[in-house]
Amino acid sequence: MVRLIEACGHEVVATASTGPETLEALRTHRPDASVVDVRMPPTQSDEGLRAALAARKELPGLPVLILSQHVEQLYARELLADGSGGVGYLLKESVFDADQFIGSLERVAAGGTAMDPAVIAKLLSASPPERGLSQLTEREYEVLGLMAEGLSNQAIGRRLFLSDSAISKYTTSMFGKLGIAADDDDTNRRVRAVLTYLNQS
């Protein structure tokens, strides 16, 4: 993974093999983005996630991309609970798609979100939509789901075979229904919408 990240033009400032080492590295280096495995020594349970959550509590908004072998609904919700961006949750198999992995890491570094579609599906199957989400049309909900994966408006348009202006209309309507103010910058509005979508129970 280090070789992959460096081959794509990024610098790796530290590596860690345990949860405590990870927390110390995050505190010390305050990286532009970090990649953290959920399960790490010494317990091989959720040491990595705990380190990431502790670091984000001390350094709000610290960008963290979590890797997990399986979809762990509780872990995903804990990561999103503070309501800020700069978070990602991918299944480890995603790393094999270098473009997807690096794209997700860069989105998280920029303060956005990057969620594996399988994680989104699991979260959505667990609970009914919030009141604001229930007001969205089927197409708006579909656009929001793709936004949660980290896709840009152009990429969403290509996926749904719609024009940029159509996607813009859907997102504007969606933000309004979710009560997200128009005076926020676009990145912040997208993050808030995605967090509403993912943190719905």
Side-chain angles (χ1 to χ4, degrees), residues 120-133:
I120 293 170
K122 185 73 174 281
L123 289 172
L124 292 181
S125 68
S127 58
E130 284 186 351
R131 183 176 175 183
L133 291 173

Side-chain angles (χ1 to χ4, degrees), residues 35 81 88 92 95 104 111 127 133 143 145 173 183 195:
V35 182
K92 288 184 179 179
V95 177
S104 297
S127 58
L133 291 173
V143 168
S173 173
D183 56 357
L195 292 173

Side-chain angles (χ1 to χ4, degrees), residues 81-103:
D82 66 5
S84 62
V87 295
Y89 189 111
L90 297 180
L91 296 181
K92 288 184 179 179
E93 61 194 42
S94 301
V95 177
F96 294 114
D97 184 336
D99 290 339
Q100 177 187 349
F101 171 68
I102 294 300

Side-chain angles (χ1 to χ4, degrees), residues 2-188:
V2 169
R3 288 196 296 271
L4 170 61
I5 292 171
E6 290 179 337
C8 292
H10 302 293
E11 179 186 0
V12 176
V13 297
T15 60
S17 57
T18 68
E21 286 178 11
T22 299
L23 178 55
E24 184 59 30
L26 293 173
R27 285 170 168 161
T28 301
H29 296 282
R30 302 188 180 198
D32 294 331
S34 55
V35 182
V36 180
D37 193 337
V38 167
R39 300 183 188 279
M40 299 181 74
T43 66
Q44 290 292 352
S45 57
D46 58 359
E47 292 286 318
L49 176 74
R50 294 296 163 200
L53 291 173
R56 279 176 63 87
K57 186 173 182 179
E58 293 179 24
L59 305 166
L62 181 73
V64 175
L65 176 60
I66 294 288
L67 297 181
S68 180
Q69 189 70 38
H70 308 288
V71 178
E72 299 281 3
Q73 184 178 314
L74 177 62
Y75 294 160
R77 291 194 186 284
E78 283 195 68
L79 188 65
L80 295 163
D82 66 5
S84 62
V87 295
Y89 189 111
L90 297 180
L91 296 181
K92 288 184 179 179
E93 61 194 42
S94 301
V95 177
F96 294 114
D97 184 336
D99 290 339
Q100 177 187 349
F101 171 68
I102 294 300
S104 297
L105 183 60
E106 290 173 346
R107 280 196 300 277
V108 169
T113 57
M115 305 300 289
D116 195 294
V119 175
I120 293 170
K122 185 73 174 281
L123 289 172
L124 292 181
S125 68
S127 58
E130 284 186 351
R131 183 176 175 183
L133 291 173
S134 66
Q135 298 176 20
L136 302 184
T137 65
E138 183 176 345
R139 180 63 86 182
E140 289 167 349
Y141 201 71
E142 190 174 14
V143 168
L144 183 53
L146 294 173
M147 189 182 289
E149 290 181 33
L151 274 62
S152 66
N153 281 4
Q154 287 184 328
I156 293 171
R158 288 194 297 271
R159 181 80 65 89
L160 300 179
F161 303 102
L162 295 171
S163 67
D164 289 352
S165 61
I167 297 300
S168 180
K169 288 177 183 176
Y170 284 125
T171 56
T172 299
S173 173
M174 179 181 66
F175 290 150
K177 291 177 181 178
L178 295 177
I180 297 172
D183 56 357
D184 281 344
D185 66 71
D186 186 61
T187 299
N188 188 47

